[in-house]
Amino acid sequence: MPNIRTRLSGVLVVLCGFLTAGGGSPATAATLPGSLWFDETPITVRDGRFTDAHGREIVLRGYNVSGETKLEENGGLPFASVADARKSARALRALGGGNTVRFLLSWAHAEPVRGQVDTAYLAAATDQMRAFLDAGVRVYPDFHQDLYSRHLFDADSWYTGDGAPKWAVDAGNYPDEACGICFFWGQNITQNEAVKRASYDFWHNAHGVQDAFLATAEQTMAYIRRHLTAAQFTSVVGFDPYNEPHAGTYDPGQTSRAWERDVLWPFYERFRARMDAAGWRDKPAFVEPNLFWNANLDFQKQQGGLLDAGTLGPRYLFNTHFYDQKAISGIFMPGKAGDGQYAGDFGTVRDRAAAARTPAVVSEFGHPLAGAVSDKAPTVLKAMYQALDSRLEGAAWWSDPASSGPVLSGTQWQWDIYHGRHHELMNGNPDKVLTAGDAWNDEDLSAVRLDDSGNPALRQDARLLDRLYPSATAGTTLAFTYEDRSRDGSTTLTWNPVPSSLPNLRKLVGSGQYGLLLWRSDGGDAPTELHLPASFPASSTTVVSDLGAVHAPPPYTARTPIGVAAEPGGAGSRRLLLTAPDSGVAHFALVTNGAAAPPAELMDAARAELSAWAAKEAD
């Protein structure tokens, strides 16, 4: 009997190997180039995390597409054509390292006439959204607004807005817009009486405008669901109901916290009901708190963060923005950002999401790339990405990885291939044609542009944008860090060097980039994934892990503990796949492009050092 049982077990192992090697169990029907059996599953909120159908912990990283939606030149669409959308999507995947976009939509163009949804606009928007889904990029749409509506602003105004249609503005009979002494367009939110009153009316459903918005949102979501394939709709993660909500004006005695509880949250519940009715029941609402809840200027900060909403998950998730207004001001932060600059700010985001038992998404962050404070951009953006990866400064990471916290999802503002090539008539004024920057209130934040040949090209250091990150973790992330070695001019920024107590690992990494993931396995059969930047070609990539030490990892199969495969979508992006089929075990993997062809002795010595470190720090 023992011999028969052994031989039978061996047969089963071989059969299972044939089923899973190079593609494996047919859990899903692959529709995208590069898809493997564990890809293309729904993303849901469970136990305070994004998870896929295999229980893997998911991290969403990417960009906002696109601020072009705020403009009129392309009719409130992100792109002039589906061909441009495809070009942008492939570049976002291959150059920008993104797996997700926040896809902007316009209420003004979805409902230009009250009660009449423009299906031609919805069709065009859905076609452009499909270009990203077909490139393997997940999508969460956002009905975007800033300063309530462009129709509040005079033709010769210094500023403009987007969002509500003209009929909604006409219903309010608002005063002539005026911001007074405003150095930044965002000051209109609290200083422009027209913007304040219009916002107040929306939240209180004056003239039925909120009812109309919700009806249009439901029809929009139903249209998107009907006109995407089931596989495409699977990669639509959720919906962002309203960008950067603010009361406009508080009622007498009302606090910002009370406004969130009594006005904003009931709106989200109404929007959630519309999602359910439109067939989005299994997708979360990406709900934003009062936009000033996490401001880093004390005189801007307001109490909030949906403190009274209780447990948000799984039908809602905590969705917030972060811009360093001190750095943008040019006054309150005279120097540049440094190691751990935003650990506290992003730690607050983590803590608030954890208390609400839901994931957090930083759906907007960024810094001007032109103008008086643009010299801060390389350090500010590096510090923001560092804070997304870990709640620790680099100087403290190796000595206390257990405090690293969850890896945050985030979408940078913004990805606009038309940067510097716009032709926008500001507020419809033919004498104010905007072509420079983002063509929006003097902003210049796009990470991409088109070069003279019409090809997408990055405007920021590729080392900063195309990052190593754990896109799917088979188990629970214990800690993660990534030293991107991005540049500030000619200076390479290294905020998290390998400590001298690990001399062989330090030698292996050298001056190269590296990332280190610690995770605890859950017994699932789908692998852990890390996005591999273009700066990590297989021939220059070394992985040091308890699963093995490998230079130039081989192609992935289910029987290969460490392997490389294409990411779904056929854009040329790649991923590292780590297979650990056990449960409850702490694993580690360091990935570096530091050594061209490290000797086996060095890799073994580095692995021994890292194993001893992980045994001490991971448990």
Side-chain angles (χ1 to χ4, degrees):
M1 283 293 289
N3 291 335
I4 294 174
R5 187 178 295 115
T6 299
R7 284 196 291 270
L8 180 58
S9 298
V11 170
L12 290 173
V13 168
V14 171
L15 287 174
C16 290
F18 284 134
L19 285 172
T20 58
S25 173
T28 59
T31 63
L32 299 176
S35 277
L36 299 172
W37 65 267
F38 43 83
D39 293 322
E40 299 186 63
T41 72
I43 305 302
T44 57
V45 173
R46 188 174 68 188
D47 299 328
R49 307 180 301 159
F50 281 123
T51 59
D52 68 5
H54 308 286
R56 296 186 301 172
E57 191 174 86
I58 300 299
V59 171
L60 308 178
R61 288 287 178 89
Y63 304 84
N64 282 261
V65 175
S66 153
E68 175 73 20
T69 300
K70 299 184 181 187
L71 310 182
E72 289 297 304
E73 62 185 4
N74 285 324
L77 292 167
F79 301 97
S81 65
V82 173
D84 279 0
R86 291 195 188 103
K87 177 189 294 187
S88 184
R90 291 180 65 86
L92 185 145
R93 197 76 158 130
L95 299 179
N99 65 9
T100 304
V101 294
R102 181 175 182 242
F103 190 96
L104 274 60
L105 297 171
S106 167
W107 176 22
H109 290 87
E111 191 188 8
V113 177
R114 183 164 193 161
Q116 298 180 26
V117 172
D118 187 345
T119 55
Y121 173 77
L122 297 186
T126 303
D127 285 345
Q128 293 185 9
M129 190 181 300
R130 188 179 293 112
F132 285 83
L133 297 168
D134 289 348
V137 179
R138 296 187 180 100
V139 169
Y140 62 102
D142 155 50
F143 260 127
H144 207 79
Q145 73 80 37
D146 286 298
L147 309 185
Y148 191 69
S149 174
R150 68 186 292 267
H151 299 290
L152 287 172
F153 292 85
D154 299 330
D156 60 351
S157 176
W158 290 359
Y159 305 106
T160 190
D162 75 296
K166 186 176 186 298
W167 62 259
V169 171
D170 291 344
N173 192 28
Y174 299 113
D176 192 48
E177 58 90 8
C179 192
I181 301 175
C182 287
F183 298 102
F184 304 102
W185 68 262
Q187 291 177 264
N188 283 271
I189 297 168
T190 56
Q191 293 181 216
N192 188 325
E193 197 64 29
V195 174
K196 290 165 62 178
R197 291 191 191 179
S199 298
Y200 181 91
D201 280 357
F202 177 84
W203 297 117
H204 292 82
N205 199 26
H207 320 292
V209 292
Q210 189 182 118
D211 287 341
F213 172 80
L214 290 168
T216 297
E218 180 181 338
Q219 292 181 67
T220 298
M221 289 184 283
Y223 186 96
I224 292 170
R225 181 182 59 82
R226 288 196 309 269
H227 290 84
L228 295 176
T229 67
Q232 289 167 340
F233 190 57
T234 291
S235 293
V236 177
V237 185
F239 207 106
D240 186 341
Y242 199 90
N243 179 68
E244 295 183 349
H246 187 263
T249 300
Y250 294 115
D251 287 324
Q254 186 181 51
T255 65
S256 55
R257 177 171 179 172
W259 177 79
E260 282 192 350
R261 181 192 64 219
D262 299 334
V263 179
L264 181 60
W265 187 252
F267 165 76
Y268 286 147
E269 291 181 315
R270 297 181 74 196
F271 195 96
R272 175 72 261 181
R274 298 289 185 154
M275 291 179 70
D276 294 350
W280 292 53
R281 178 175 295 274
D282 296 329
K283 300 180 186 295
F286 285 54
V287 294
E288 301 185 33
N290 170 1
L291 100 101
F292 294 120
W293 84 280
N294 197 26
N296 70 341
L297 286 171
D298 290 340
F299 59 82
Q300 282 189 335
K301 191 183 290 289
Q302 298 180 12
Q303 189 179 26
L306 303 176
L307 291 168
D308 299 300
T311 298
L312 297 184
R315 290 170 52 77
Y316 305 89
L317 62 85
F318 191 71
N319 169 22
T320 189
H321 298 173
F322 184 80
Y323 293 94
D324 185 349
Q325 295 299 335
K326 292 180 180 179
I328 292 172
S329 73
I331 299 171
F332 299 102
M333 190 188 106
K336 297 184 179 183
D339 181 19
Q341 184 90 11
Y342 306 115
D345 297 299
F346 284 56
T348 299
V349 173
R350 284 181 171 88
D351 293 342
R352 183 67 204 103
R357 298 181 63 187
T358 195
V361 174
V362 184
S363 60
E364 285 190 27
F365 62 95
H367 189 82
L369 301 181
V373 297
S374 60
D375 64 311
K376 303 177 191 294
T379 58
V380 166
L381 268 294
K382 180 181 174 74
M384 288 181 178
Y385 275 110
Q386 179 193 48
L388 287 174
D389 289 344
S390 170
R391 69 187 303 152
L392 297 174
E393 62 180 7
W397 194 91
W398 283 92
S399 60
D400 188 23
S403 298
S404 188
V407 180
L408 292 178
S409 295
T411 48
Q412 182 178 331
W413 187 274
Q414 66 162 325
W415 189 269
D416 176 14
I417 61 172
Y418 305 120
H419 170 271
R421 296 172 178 263
H422 293 286
H423 189 84
E424 173 71 3
L425 279 61
M426 185 175 179
N427 296 318
N429 188 342
D431 295 325
K432 293 187 72 173
V433 179
L434 306 182
T435 60
D438 299 343
W440 167 261
N441 288 326
D442 294 324
E443 285 196 345
D444 192 322
L445 287 95
S446 178
V448 70
R449 63 178 178 85
L450 294 178
D451 64 19
D452 291 341
S453 300
N455 298 315
L458 295 179
R459 300 181 61 233
Q460 295 173 267
D461 189 350
R463 292 185 171 214
L464 172 73
L465 298 181
D466 189 11
R467 306 178 64 78
L468 191 84
Y469 61 91
S471 52
T473 301
T476 303
T477 300
L478 302 176
F480 175 71
T481 190
Y482 180 52
E483 179 47 77
D484 56 42
R485 313 270 194 187
S486 57
R487 302 173 184 86
D488 179 10
S490 60
T491 301
T492 298
L493 302 172
T494 302
W495 292 350
N496 190 1
V498 177
S500 58
S501 58
L502 304 172
N504 291 292
L505 187 63
R506 189 181 179 107
K507 181 177 180 181
L508 181 72
V509 169
S511 61
Q513 299 166 288
Y514 82 89
L516 176 54
L517 175 67
L518 294 168
W519 79 102
R520 191 174 302 280
S521 60
D522 65 356
D525 51 359
T528 290
E529 299 185 26
L530 292 100
H531 169 72
L532 280 177
S535 57
F536 282 73
S539 60
S540 300
T541 298
T542 301
V543 181
V544 177
S545 170
D546 62 294
L547 304 175
V550 180
H551 179 71
Y556 165 77
T557 75
R559 292 175 295 185
T560 306
I562 302 170
V564 174
E567 289 179 320
S573 59
R574 298 158 47 257
R575 51 186 163 168
L576 179 73
L577 300 170
L578 306 167
T579 302
D582 46 29
S583 180
V585 177
H587 294 280
F588 65 86
L590 180 138
V591 189
T592 184
N593 58 6
E601 296 80 5
L602 178 59
M603 289 193 294
D604 290 342
R607 184 185 183 196
E609 288 177 349
L610 198 53
S611 295
W613 172 85
K616 177 184 175 184
E617 300 290 347
D619 289 319

